[in-house]
Amino acid sequence: MADFDYIVVGSGINALVAAAMLGKKGKRVLVLERNDRIGGCLRTEEITEPGFIHDVMATTMVLFLTSPAYGVLGKDLEDHGLEFAHADLPTGVLRPDGSSVIFSKDRQRNIANFEALAEGDGKAFDREMNALGADATFLFSLLGGALWSGTTLKTVAKQGWGKGLRQLAAWFGDALKPARGYLETTYRSEAAHALWAPWVLHCGLAPESAYSAEMLKVIGFAIELAGCPIVKGGAANLVTAFERLIANQGGTIRTGADVERILAGQGNKAAGIRLASGEAIQATSGVICSTTPNQIYDRLLKDWPRPIPAEVADGVARYRYGKGDMQIHYALSAPPRWKGDPDLGKVALLHLTPGLDGVSRATNECERGLLPAEPTVCVGQPVSFDPSRAPEGKSILWLQLPEAPRVIKGDAAGEIAVPADGSWTEAVREHYADRIEAILFRHIENFADIKLARRAYCPADLEGMNMNLVGGDPYGGFCGLDQFFLWRPFKSSVNHRTHVPGLYHIGASTHPGPGLAGGSGFLLASSLR
């Protein structure tokens, strides 16, 4: 008799959602994590000074809070200790000249702010958000639903019947617009362009990428509705709530359990796993892998009795990873005093950038393997709405740099010497962090007085903590149109099933892609019995 119904390999948000959903159905679930803790990119530590609580990687939970997974599991997780902290000012942008725009959760305030930037921009924003809201049911069914399914086919057919085929085709064409063209033809103000442009980076895209405009509209709609919430006390508290829930359902979680192989059963079905220690564990219903494609096909199925189909082998060989990520964390002796608008200190996620062209330039430099001369800096200020993150009267900053090359070919500013092999070294990491810190010094008037400690993580550091972050790519692979939606991870992929019966693939490398919504875990678990 097998030990479990399902074995889940990996323990990121999608794995935890899948395990909890299956446990809710009464299934016996085992979650295996090779590291010493579960959670994937949900990791909270005191990495600078004692008492300063940092989310080392992921922090903003708007996608999870607005997800179908939360709709099903939210009450259970809250019963096991989950709480969110909310900010009234979810995002904003600050440019080198000191000008800024702040975006709130208040529609009328946002309309007024945009209208003050340029006549007509407030009305344009209101019109765009209302139009997206009218299409929300259809749009979100495509973004987060099982694409290869009768339900989705019926949804598209119903939309085509209501709009007419020509109008439906026009809708899809509009949805594929790049952000640059959309912003430049929708808003007159360059400040409005600067506010929205950095958000394409959080989707693994660039301002010139297909469908990046639609993602900007979705983001604007979501954060105006739900803000940029964080987990009270740190993202690890969400992981703890999942851990308690899964345990109460009768599930088991093991850390330090490195899965080495998928075991074949009768009919070449996935029947369990073998750990690097040699231990074999059986599963009656299936094995679920929350990993990159390379981990499944190059490692876990390495000795599979039947060869990998040619179309799958080709997909693995051609699978591409995207830009790397870098994280920098500060412990501060007091809250930062930003130059300019005093409300900047209350913004949950503040982007520092010259604007649309600045984001485009830095992204292009990164994609060519260069350290950007003027990178886009995302600054999180969690203590402003969750005081538990730092000792009383003190603060922290959470910085994300989504334009970090995986392999370095040079420095766009010509200031930092890089190794001939393109690797990230401690010296390169700290010199590049100095470049970012210089930007903070220009914008925060008391920064020299309040800085206590800094901790930086380059792309290589992030991959060292989580092997799914290949080259520091936090999105599980390139997110361009040819490797997304119906074609993620491969052109031959059908939802979350693999060519091996009983072996399932979830995570950022699968539809609906990266983020903290737990979408692939939810979709798969919803389809399993």
Side-chain angles (χ1 to χ4, degrees):
M1 181 178 175
D3 302 303
F4 298 93
D5 295 312
Y6 289 97
I7 294 174
V8 182
V9 180
S11 65
I13 186 68
N14 286 286
L16 295 175
V17 166
M21 291 277 294
L22 291 169
K24 202 173 180 71
K25 293 182 176 184
K27 303 299 181 182
R28 296 167 297 164
V29 181
L30 170 65
V31 178
L32 298 173
E33 171 56 55
R34 70 191 299 267
N35 291 325
D36 62 356
R37 71 192 76 187
I38 65 171
C41 291
L42 298 171
R43 186 182 182 113
T44 306
E45 296 180 77
E46 296 182 4
I47 54 176
T48 53
E49 298 278 348
F52 291 83
I53 310 300
H54 302 270
D55 287 339
V56 178
M57 291 181 271
T59 193
T60 303
M61 304 303 303
V62 61
L63 292 180
F64 185 63
L65 191 61
T66 57
S67 71
Y70 187 74
V72 174
L73 298 172
K75 181 61 168 61
D76 295 325
L77 292 168
E78 290 166 7
D79 289 344
H80 289 85
L82 174 63
E83 291 184 79
F84 290 106
H86 299 271
D88 291 330
L89 304 177
T91 194
V93 66
L94 178 58
R95 296 194 285 173
D97 64 0
S99 63
S100 61
V101 181
I102 295 176
F103 186 78
S104 78
K105 294 166 67 176
D106 182 332
R107 172 65 62 85
Q108 295 309 311
R109 175 174 173 174
N110 290 331
I111 292 173
N113 284 346
F114 283 122
E115 202 65 29
L117 296 175
E119 185 179 353
D121 278 5
K123 295 181 180 67
F125 170 74
D126 188 43
R127 181 181 65 249
E128 293 298 301
M129 292 300 96
N130 288 337
L132 189 135
D135 281 334
T137 300
F138 177 59
L139 175 61
F140 290 118
S141 70
L142 295 179
L143 292 176
L147 294 181
W148 291 102
S149 68
T151 299
T152 297
L153 182 60
K154 290 176 183 177
T155 299
V156 173
K158 182 179 179 181
Q159 193 78 354
W161 182 265
K163 286 180 175 288
L165 291 180
R166 193 66 195 87
Q167 285 301 311
L168 181 62
W171 186 94
F172 276 107
D174 196 55
L176 294 177
K177 280 184 181 177
R180 174 179 288 279
Y182 166 75
L183 291 172
E184 290 179 337
T185 58
T186 303
Y187 299 104
R188 296 173 56 197
S189 168
E190 290 188 0
H193 303 167
L195 173 69
W196 294 122
W199 279 101
V200 302
L201 303 175
H202 298 279
C203 305
L205 301 171
E208 289 75 28
S209 299
Y211 84 90
S212 55
E214 197 69 18
M215 298 314 297
L216 288 187
K217 289 186 278 186
V218 169
I219 287 168
F221 186 84
I223 63 178
E224 187 181 61
L225 175 68
C228 288
I230 57 177
V231 179
K232 281 190 178 180
N237 287 338
L238 171 59
V239 177
T240 299
F242 267 113
E243 190 172 21
R244 291 169 178 165
L245 173 59
I246 292 167
N248 284 350
Q249 292 172 336
T252 302
I253 297 175
R254 290 175 57 178
T255 57
D258 186 9
V259 177
E260 184 180 68
R261 293 288 185 273
I262 306 295
L263 298 178
Q266 188 174 6
N268 283 292
K269 177 185 176 183
I273 58 90
R274 184 175 74 239
L275 298 177
S277 64
E279 179 184 359
I281 309 174
Q282 302 295 313
T284 54
S285 297
V287 176
I288 301 169
C289 293
S290 185
T291 68
T292 63
N294 296 92
Q295 284 298 316
I296 293 180
Y297 298 101
D298 293 339
R299 181 170 179 253
L300 301 181
L301 291 176
K302 188 175 182 181
D303 301 322
W304 197 252
R306 290 183 180 174
I308 295 176
E311 64 271 18
V312 175
D314 184 65
V316 175
R318 294 176 182 273
Y319 193 75
R320 313 187 318 278
Y321 292 91
K323 299 184 291 294
D325 180 38
M326 186 165 171
Q327 300 283 155
I328 306 177
H329 302 274
Y330 285 95
L332 307 176
S333 63
R337 291 199 306 271
W338 296 90
K339 297 175 183 178
D341 192 331
D343 279 346
L344 288 170
K346 303 174 187 176
V347 174
L349 284 180
L350 179 66
H351 289 109
L352 312 181
T353 176
L356 174 57
D357 287 342
V359 174
S360 181
R361 181 170 54 249
T363 302
N364 182 264
E365 289 169 348
C366 171
E367 290 176 344
R368 289 186 287 123
L370 302 178
L371 297 170
E374 192 170 11
T376 308
V377 185
C378 180
V379 183
Q381 304 183 94
V383 176
S384 66
F385 57 111
D386 180 12
S388 70
R389 300 294 186 101
E392 187 175 358
K394 296 178 170 52
S395 193
I396 65 173
L397 292 179
W398 175 97
L399 270 63
Q400 184 180 57
L401 309 172
E403 300 151 332
R406 290 184 292 113
V407 178
I408 311 172
K409 297 179 181 178
D411 176 23
E415 299 169 346
I416 301 174
V418 300
D421 64 359
S423 63
W424 281 87
T425 64
E426 181 179 352
V428 171
R429 181 190 70 203
E430 295 306 315
H431 282 134
Y432 191 58
D434 289 342
R435 177 173 297 170
I436 311 310
E437 190 165 302
I439 296 173
L440 296 180
F441 268 104
R442 293 198 294 268
H443 286 299
I444 301 174
E445 61 184 27
N446 62 336
F447 194 74
D449 299 324
I450 63 176
K451 176 190 168 185
L452 295 175
R454 179 181 86 186
R455 179 72 178 273
Y457 296 86
C458 68
D461 297 326
L462 298 179
E463 183 176 8
M465 288 189 285
N466 185 338
M467 66 194 303
N468 286 331
L469 307 183
V470 178
D473 174 7
Y475 301 116
F478 175 65
C479 295
L481 182 59
D482 67 292
Q483 198 171 270
F484 217 72
F485 302 114
L486 292 170
W487 310 287
R488 193 166 186 88
F490 312 135
K491 305 298 185 291
S492 60
S493 298
V494 177
N495 296 331
H496 301 96
R497 285 161 170 76
T498 69
H499 71 283
V500 175
L503 178 61
Y504 306 98
H505 187 193
I506 61 173
S509 301
T510 68
H511 177 73
L516 296 177
S520 59
F522 174 81
L523 289 173
L524 175 63
S526 298
S527 72
L528 296 176
R529 296 182 179 180

